[in-house]
Amino acid sequence: MKILIVDDERLARQRLYTLLQELGIDPKCIWEAENGEQAVQLCEQQEIDLVFMDIHMPGMDGLDAAARIVRQELPPAIVFTTAYSEHALDAFEVHAVDYLLKPIRREKLAAALEKVTRLTRPLLQREEVAEQWITSKYRGGVQRIPLSDVYYFRADSKYVVARHRNGEALLEDSLVSLEKRFPDDLLRIHRSTLVRPHLVSALHKQPEGGVEIGFVDIDDRLEVSRRHVPRVRQLLAR
């Protein structure tokens, strides 16, 4: 596994370098970068499997660098390292695998490495694609929900409600941003509703002439606006 440590503080890089060696990582497989620009360049030039990314750095910060790195065809896994816990939600929005608070403890680092082994470059080449996630603030922390578990998204006042296999979650994302982020996985059936078409089971005509859709495994039914009915019918006919 090729690992890249990104931090503008030399002592922070050295500490993480030492901890990784103590956990059995070959020092020849550990690279270093002082800022976001260097990190992006190294990930383009080398087949990096894992990036430990500091967030607060001069110039391009860690969040911006990660947003560029994850656009690669087979991006490395990213674990953020920072002294500021308020960036946890932002970190997961760019598909970070984990989030470690400084000073990094050896046992926390070991747990992060174990989690990352499922998402390294060789595994990505054998599997179809990395799981896609949505994030929600939950009891003072961050809840990560696999997109594959979501039935639909519905706009509700200032928030968007995600109905998933284990209940509901409030998101700060807009429907438009979700539609752009997952264009191949979501279908708009109403100005206030996006659904995952793979989990739609049937169309139901209403006595008053309207149309609703039903889902696999749950009893929820959602209204389909008149303009979207042909597209939904076409999809279900496949």
Side-chain angles (χ1 to χ4, degrees):
M1 181 187 294
K2 291 185 178 179
I3 296 176
L4 173 62
I5 301 171
V6 187
D7 201 305
D8 62 309
E9 296 182 2
R10 182 175 58 85
L11 291 178
R13 295 198 307 274
Q14 287 181 344
R15 172 175 169 74
L16 187 50
Y17 186 95
T18 299
L19 287 174
L20 288 170
Q21 289 186 75
E22 291 176 358
L23 291 171
I25 301 298
D26 186 342
K28 295 179 181 178
C29 296
I30 303 175
W31 302 65
E32 294 185 32
E34 298 179 358
N35 52 55
E37 289 89 347
Q38 288 183 11
V40 172
Q41 291 174 4
L42 278 170
C43 287
E44 290 173 347
Q45 297 166 0
Q46 304 292 329
E47 290 189 351
I48 301 296
D49 299 303
L50 168 60
V51 179
F52 286 99
M53 181 83 74
D54 186 28
I55 290 182
H56 288 283
M57 294 182 290
M60 184 187 297
D61 67 15
L63 291 172
D64 288 338
R68 297 193 184 192
I69 290 170
V70 297
R71 296 190 195 119
Q72 295 179 5
E73 184 176 356
L74 286 175
I78 295 177
V79 173
F80 281 103
T81 62
T82 181
Y84 305 95
S85 60
E86 68 268 20
H87 291 292
L89 183 60
D90 294 331
F92 288 125
E93 286 295 336
V94 290
H95 311 294
V97 175
D98 212 339
Y99 183 94
L100 299 178
L101 287 176
K102 296 177 180 180
I104 297 171
R105 292 158 49 195
R106 179 173 171 169
E107 58 270 26
K108 292 288 187 180
L109 179 61
L113 285 171
E114 183 177 355
K115 183 184 296 187
V116 166
T117 55
R118 300 193 302 271
L119 297 171
T120 56
R121 186 178 302 272
L123 285 175
L124 280 171
Q125 291 172 337
R126 289 198 296 269
E127 300 294 335
E128 294 178 1
V129 291
E131 177 66 88
Q132 299 183 90
W133 302 81
I134 58 171
T135 55
S136 170
K137 290 182 179 178
Y138 180 73
R139 294 182 180 177
V142 176
Q143 179 184 21
R144 301 183 73 209
I145 303 165
L147 180 65
S148 57
D149 282 356
V150 176
Y151 293 96
Y152 61 83
F153 298 98
R154 187 184 71 251
D156 183 12
S157 187
K158 297 186 299 182
Y159 295 93
V160 167
V161 176
R163 173 67 164 97
H164 56 92
R165 295 187 189 278
N166 297 312
E168 294 185 345
L170 290 179
L171 311 181
E172 295 183 347
D173 307 78
S174 67
L175 289 180
V176 172
S177 66
L178 288 166
E179 201 169 23
K180 289 180 178 178
R181 183 177 167 193
F182 307 114
D184 299 326
D185 297 283
L186 298 175
L187 173 68
R188 186 175 287 273
I189 64 165
H190 192 278
R191 62 184 176 83
S192 63
T193 314
L194 296 170
V195 302
R196 291 198 60 247
H198 296 90
L199 296 179
V200 173
S201 62
L203 280 177
H204 303 279
K205 276 193 172 183
Q206 301 305 299
E208 66 278 10
V211 174
E212 292 181 338
I213 61 169
F215 296 88
V216 176
D217 301 329
I218 60 173
D219 296 328
D220 301 33
R221 288 192 179 185
L222 300 176
E223 177 188 358
V224 181
S225 65
R226 189 180 302 274
R227 62 176 295 198
H228 293 295
V229 169
R231 178 72 182 97
V232 176
R233 287 190 189 279
Q234 180 185 23
L235 183 74
L236 291 179
R238 292 179 181 175

